[in-house]
Amino acid sequence: MASAAAPAAADSTLPPALEQLRHLAGELRFLLPGVRVGEARETTKEFDRETFWRRFREAAMAVSRAATTLTEVFSRLPLPSPQETQKFSEQVHASIKAIIAVYYSLPKDQGITLRKLVRSATLDIVDGMAQLVEVLYITPTQSPENLISYNSVWEACQQVPRIPRDNKAAALSVLTKSVDLVKDAHEEMEQAVEECDPYYGLLSDIEEDNSDNHGDEEDILGCPSNRDSYWSEEDQELIIPCLALVRASKACLKRIRLSVAENGKKDQVAQLDDIVDISDEISPSVDDLALSIYPPVCHLTVRINIHQKYIYTWNNSYRTPTEFWQKTSDLPKVCKTCIRFKEGT
């Protein structure tokens, strides 16, 4: 009798299972800010790249296993006992702390670009696990939300082996993403200009679909009014050099990526980081420019976007190592187009 009563007494000292999950979710959320701003831990040991990536993969697998176990036991009735929940919570917390510790072991001298990718992967895993725990205590037992949240954690862990292994590979990965974003923006702008229809016929289609219900309304909610849906002749004259600027930016980014691939060296860590920092500013600048040319066009806003962002970015580009620009013949084209805007021509 005494031995049977002992577990019950131990259980009574622990919070209920769902309360423990709520507390665990809070602890995981508390770790996120530290990962976002945390610095690499200083050590006298020489960095071993192979050992780091092996530990990072193993840590991600441990998180994935802990997420699987937690989801399984809280997706059926009866729910785990307080003691069992404590064990599962400790496993989750330990696996998350372990993967954060591995991230902190990556020195800054391996490259800021690489560290950003590893940090992003770590944040996705920690945030995904926190969300999974929150969903499990809010909607225990089987539910679509449980599976969606679990899949998010699993997918984040599966991304770890796909992270570039050195700063050059990381830089090429980021540059490729920038090229793709600028390419999408350029194609969207080009299609709009060719069709002389900034909204690709969206306004007329929605007006036709809603004519029976909104016949007396001047505007449709969420869409521009008719007077704001087309470009004037002055607008079109302004758009032509904008499109040329985006086209040159796309070509320049592609050549920068090619030059880094051909001329970049793995030990040029700081130079690669500088190139990525500058290139990272191009895609948002293109997005802002693309958005500013949609009607009603404010010519002053367009010129401000050119002056404050494009000219600043391309001026800074000349501060990077010349070997990376030796094949980037489109760079002068970008600068000439910027000068045209600066002079108001």
Side-chain angles (χ1 to χ4, degrees):
M1 291 293 292
S3 60
D11 282 351
S12 65
T13 64
L14 294 172
L18 296 183
E19 178 62 23
Q20 289 188 55
L21 286 188
R22 187 189 67 79
H23 180 70
L24 174 62
E27 289 184 330
L28 297 180
R29 290 288 181 198
F30 182 76
L31 295 172
L32 285 168
V35 178
R36 291 191 182 100
V37 300
E39 296 288 345
R41 293 197 176 98
E42 295 186 5
T43 178
T44 57
K45 293 182 180 179
E46 184 177 354
F47 178 72
D48 187 324
R49 181 177 285 110
E50 293 301 321
T51 299
F52 170 82
W53 289 110
R54 176 180 55 77
R55 291 178 59 214
F56 200 42
R57 288 194 301 269
E58 291 174 352
M61 291 173 58
V63 172
S64 183
R65 288 194 298 269
T68 300
T69 302
L70 193 69
T71 303
E72 287 177 348
V73 298
F74 277 91
S75 294
R76 62 175 181 261
L77 294 175
L79 295 178
S81 67
Q83 277 187 321
E84 291 171 328
T85 302
Q86 182 184 44
K87 181 185 70 173
F88 295 135
S89 296
E90 289 174 349
Q91 290 174 349
V92 168
H93 194 268
S95 68
I96 290 296
K97 292 281 286 184
I99 199 166
I100 292 174
V102 176
Y103 158 64
Y104 282 146
S105 71
L106 179 63
K108 287 195 292 185
D109 62 14
Q110 293 300 304
I112 301 300
T113 305
L114 179 62
R115 273 184 58 82
K116 284 181 178 179
L117 293 183
V118 176
R119 179 180 63 195
S120 178
T122 305
L123 285 170
D124 287 344
I125 291 172
V126 178
D127 183 67
M129 182 65 87
Q131 183 177 348
L132 172 62
V133 175
E134 289 169 349
V135 167
L136 289 176
Y137 84 73
I138 293 173
T139 57
T141 70
Q142 291 184 354
S143 72
E145 290 80 5
N146 291 4
L147 183 59
I148 292 171
S149 297
Y150 166 72
N151 284 339
S152 296
V153 178
W154 184 86
E155 180 61 30
C157 293
Q158 292 298 307
Q159 293 300 317
V160 168
R162 303 169 191 167
I163 300 173
R165 292 295 186 266
D166 56 65
N167 208 47
K168 178 182 175 180
L172 287 171
S173 173
V174 174
L175 288 170
T176 298
K177 183 178 179 181
S178 295
V179 169
D180 291 341
L181 291 173
V182 172
K183 179 182 176 182
D184 290 343
H186 175 252
E187 290 177 352
E188 183 178 323
M189 290 175 65
E190 204 167 43
Q191 183 178 353
V193 170
E194 288 176 357
E195 298 179 3
C196 293
D197 181 5
Y199 295 100
Y200 305 154
L202 176 64
L203 182 62
S204 58
D205 291 343
I206 295 180
E207 284 178 340
E208 183 178 345
D209 293 341
N210 293 274
S211 57
D212 294 337
N213 298 327
H214 302 278
D216 298 330
E217 295 184 10
E218 293 184 1
D219 298 329
I220 298 172
L221 184 63
C223 292
S225 63
N226 193 52
R227 64 182 178 275
D228 292 339
S229 60
Y230 300 101
W231 284 308
S232 66
E233 290 185 6
E234 291 182 354
D235 293 342
Q236 293 185 44
E237 290 177 0
L238 181 67
I239 289 166
I240 292 173
C242 287
L243 189 58
L245 183 57
V246 174
R247 186 184 300 114
S249 298
K250 180 186 72 171
C252 190
L253 271 175
K254 291 174 70 174
R255 290 177 183 249
I256 291 171
R257 180 183 60 184
L258 178 62
S259 185
V260 169
E262 293 181 348
N263 302 311
K265 298 179 176 60
K266 293 181 180 180
D267 59 352
Q268 294 176 307
V269 174
Q271 293 94 326
L272 290 166
D273 286 336
D274 288 342
I275 290 172
V276 170
D277 283 343
I278 293 170
S279 300
D280 272 349
E281 297 178 13
I282 298 174
S283 177
S285 298
V286 169
D287 286 340
D288 290 340
L289 179 60
L291 290 173
S292 68
I293 68 167
Y294 280 86
V297 178
C298 175
H299 291 217
L300 178 61
T301 300
V302 174
R303 295 185 183 279
I304 288 174
N305 281 333
I306 298 297
H307 294 167
Q308 292 186 348
K309 296 179 180 178
Y310 261 99
I311 293 178
Y312 170 79
T313 298
W314 292 110
N315 281 346
N316 278 350
S317 67
Y318 283 113
R319 301 176 187 174
T320 58
T322 55
E323 64 265 25
F324 292 110
W325 303 116
Q326 59 187 17
K327 295 185 179 180
T328 313
S329 58
D330 291 279
L331 186 59
K333 298 178 185 178
V334 177
C335 295
K336 285 179 181 178
T337 310
C338 290
I339 291 171
R340 288 180 58 191
F341 277 100
K342 192 172 185 180
E343 294 174 349
T345 61

